[in-house]
Amino acid sequence: MISRFARVRMSPLLAAGAVVALVLSGCSGASRSAAGADTFVETAEAELAELSEFASRADWVRSTYIMYDSNWLSTKANERYLERTAALAKEAASYADASGLSAETARKLALLQRQLTLAPPSKAGAAAELSKIATDLDEKYSAAKFTIAGKEMRLDDASEEMKTSRDPKRLKALWEGWHSIAPPMHAEYARMVEIANEGARELGHADTGAMWRAKYDMPADEFAKKTDALWEQVKPLYIDLQCYVRAKLSEKYGAEVQPETGPIRADLLGNMWAQDWSGVFDVVAPKGLPGPGYNVTRNLVAQKYTPERMMRTGEAFFTSLGFAPLPPTFWERSMITRPRDREVVCHASAWDVDNVDDLRIKMCTLINEEDFQTIHHELGHNFYQRAYNKQPYLFRDGANDGFHEAIGDMQQLSITPDYLKKIGLITTVPPASADISLLLQRAMDKVAFLPFGLLVDKWRWQVFSGQVSPAQYNDAWWKLRLQYQGVAPPGPRPADAFDPGAKYHVPGNTPYMRYFLADIYEFQFYRAACKQAGWQGPLHRCSFYGDKNVGAKFNAMLEMGASKPWPDALEAFTGSREIDASAIAEYFAPLQVWLKEQNKGRQCGW
């Protein structure tokens, strides 16, 4: 947000790049003409930039210094944010049918109508209540701790231990300990859904989930069908991977801990949410085949990398493509490590505080391979933010939210052994015989994530639509996790369990489909970059590090921001207007052949 743990900066109420909307004096009675729309948008943009910066700064202080007063300030800023945004969305809708609208104004009006993540209804006090709940949920998650055997633990401590512990009893305790922090969120979350749905209906949507799906330059129902079609493209590869990993875990722990058939126990996969399985690669590594032959974490430590040096190495990847270095204020104002004197939101995120060049990262960086990759991802957000900062205010965002996530993920794919050798983190590039091990390691992150990336919002769509009631929240969550991931909890769940709340993006109100889309886009972008670089070998070995021609074409897409529908931006870099998962199949083709051989005689699926 790696992984989908760390992402672009989000207000708890608004999606990345969301605007602060306001009721403009004189606009409510303006003529619904093209000229009136131009004036409305022009005046709005000038004021939105100022209000957005204020809200971002308040959020930054709250995130890097959690205390009563910073929470109060952030809540008030977001309350105003919500009220203004909802009012302007309704105002913008009244211009939609005006004749003679320019293409630019029409797009800006459309963007104004779909910026909200949570829409407050117009009744008095609704925005204040929604803002308070959203801030409170975010704080509950960020400050959460639990106790095991008398020892107090945070999420980052538990997450690190889950990657290395091979004691199923300890893993179960860590998993259940973290998930125990979520039940206090349940009632507030249900109330938030109720308020937000009322607001979404005022904006003409069936519910909040429908409002989220309407943000992708296509009808909401068509978007839902598109995500299902993309999943069908990658599902066979995932089933092969799940089958192989399950067998290896069963060999390691025995059938009484992990049965040879059915779902995988969620706590055995090296990750608190079973969304990234790379932590247990040592358990499933192919026997008889050479491994990567290096350990990035060990090398980072041996070479005395600091968090700042890791960050500067990530910056150097982008400057090698021709991008200008980050501004000095980035290094002065970012939070790169966890402060020792206060509570902070450690969830890694990239910020553009003033929507121009006050770029920052907030991250409790550890010296390991995962955070090295996370840095490349987060900086992708920052370089994207700067690339489109010359656009009008409403276009200073990604072509869609999946684009913003994919930009950094694309750079992660280019962290190949060749790249690591060029920057001195390894001395020898592994031979082709090590490719299966390298691909399996990558699949344990990228392919393993795909169903989780899809199901988080499928659960929320059901919640927002009323298909799932508050009493059914947890059962519905595990039904989807079984259906898509083939995973199950390590034991029966308590009657008051609210396991979705143990994933930041749920209490943090961050739409999650962007991450599923990003996993598809990143391989499309990566394949296009490799073709532009003239790469002739296997796709998974390509690195475009240092190719300024690729960088120039890439930057041209980034500079578009949200000024055009996403198919236009996709076409500008890849030559295609369709999101397509075939690049994933191409990338992992050698691995899938190998997996099918390994799975012969096994009962795959669950």
Side-chain angles (χ1 to χ4, degrees), residues 324-449:
L326 294 163
T329 53
F330 174 88
W331 305 102
E332 296 164 5
R333 299 170 185 172
S334 289
M335 187 193 86
I336 298 175
T337 57
R338 179 195 281 276
R340 296 183 178 181
D341 61 341
R342 61 188 188 270
E343 295 288 349
V344 299
V345 178
C346 267
H347 191 84
S349 52
W351 296 57
D352 180 7
V353 177
D354 65 353
N355 299 295
V356 182
D357 59 8
D358 190 352
L359 306 171
R360 308 180 190 182
I361 276 181
K362 176 187 62 59
M363 184 172 172
C364 299
T365 312
L366 301 174
I367 310 301
N368 59 37
E369 181 176 11
E370 181 180 302
D371 281 11
F372 183 71
Q373 293 184 352
T374 298
I375 284 168
H376 285 71
H377 170 90
E378 294 302 330
L379 289 176
H381 287 303
N382 286 141
F383 280 96
Y384 197 0
Q385 289 160 341
R386 188 172 62 180
Y388 57 59
N389 71 4
K390 300 291 193 300
Q391 289 283 356
Y393 178 79
L394 287 172
F395 293 158
R396 293 179 195 173
D397 200 357
N400 66 36
D401 52 13
F403 267 63
H404 232 303
E405 300 303 331
I407 299 309
D409 287 343
M410 169 191 173
Q411 318 309 320
Q412 289 180 322
L413 290 178
S414 201
I415 302 178
T416 60
D418 181 65
Y419 165 67
L420 294 173
K421 184 174 185 296
K422 285 178 179 177
I423 64 175
L425 265 177
I426 64 174
T427 57
T428 304
V429 175
S433 57
D435 280 5
I436 293 299
S437 294
L438 289 166
L439 282 169
L440 179 59
Q441 194 166 29
R442 179 76 72 179
M444 299 280 281
D445 173 12
K446 298 295 182 181
V447 178
F449 172 77

Side-chain angles (χ1 to χ4, degrees), residues 469-497:
S469 70
Q472 300 168 323
Y473 280 176
N474 216 56
D475 288 344
W477 174 254
W478 283 106
K479 182 178 180 181
L480 286 170
R481 296 201 66 182
L482 177 63
Q483 177 185 346
Y484 286 98
Q485 281 187 289
V487 302
R493 304 302 298 133
D496 68 341

Side-chain angles (χ1 to χ4, degrees), residues 444-461:
M444 299 280 281
D445 173 12
K446 298 295 182 181
V447 178
F449 172 77
L450 286 164
F452 187 80
L454 186 68
L455 72 85
V456 174
D457 275 357
K458 280 190 170 289
W459 176 81
R460 283 192 284 200
W461 293 351

Side-chain angles (χ1 to χ4, degrees), residues 478-553:
W478 283 106
K479 182 178 180 181
L480 286 170
R481 296 201 66 182
L482 177 63
Q483 177 185 346
Y484 286 98
Q485 281 187 289
V487 302
R493 304 302 298 133
D496 68 341
F498 180 47
D499 294 334
K503 176 62 182 171
Y504 172 78
H505 301 75
V506 174
N509 291 303
T510 305
Y512 212 74
M513 196 60 70
R514 66 188 64 196
Y515 307 129
F516 174 75
L517 296 176
D519 255 26
I520 310 297
Y521 283 133
E522 69 174 286
F523 285 89
Q524 273 193 277
F525 293 157
Y526 175 74
R527 181 170 63 181
C530 291
K531 287 181 179 179
Q532 292 163 24
W535 180 256
Q536 297 297 316
L539 182 58
H540 60 271
R541 280 192 164 247
C542 165
S543 178
F544 48 86
Y545 173 72
D547 194 314
K548 289 182 170 54
N549 290 327
V550 171
K553 190 166 184 180

Side-chain angles (χ1 to χ4, degrees), residues 56-77:
S56 291
R57 293 192 187 281
D59 244 0
W60 176 265
V61 173
R62 183 192 68 83
S63 296
T64 58
Y65 207 117
I66 298 176
M67 57 181 294
Y68 174 82
D69 291 319
S70 62
N71 282 328
W72 188 92
L73 290 168
S74 179
T75 298
K76 290 297 181 184

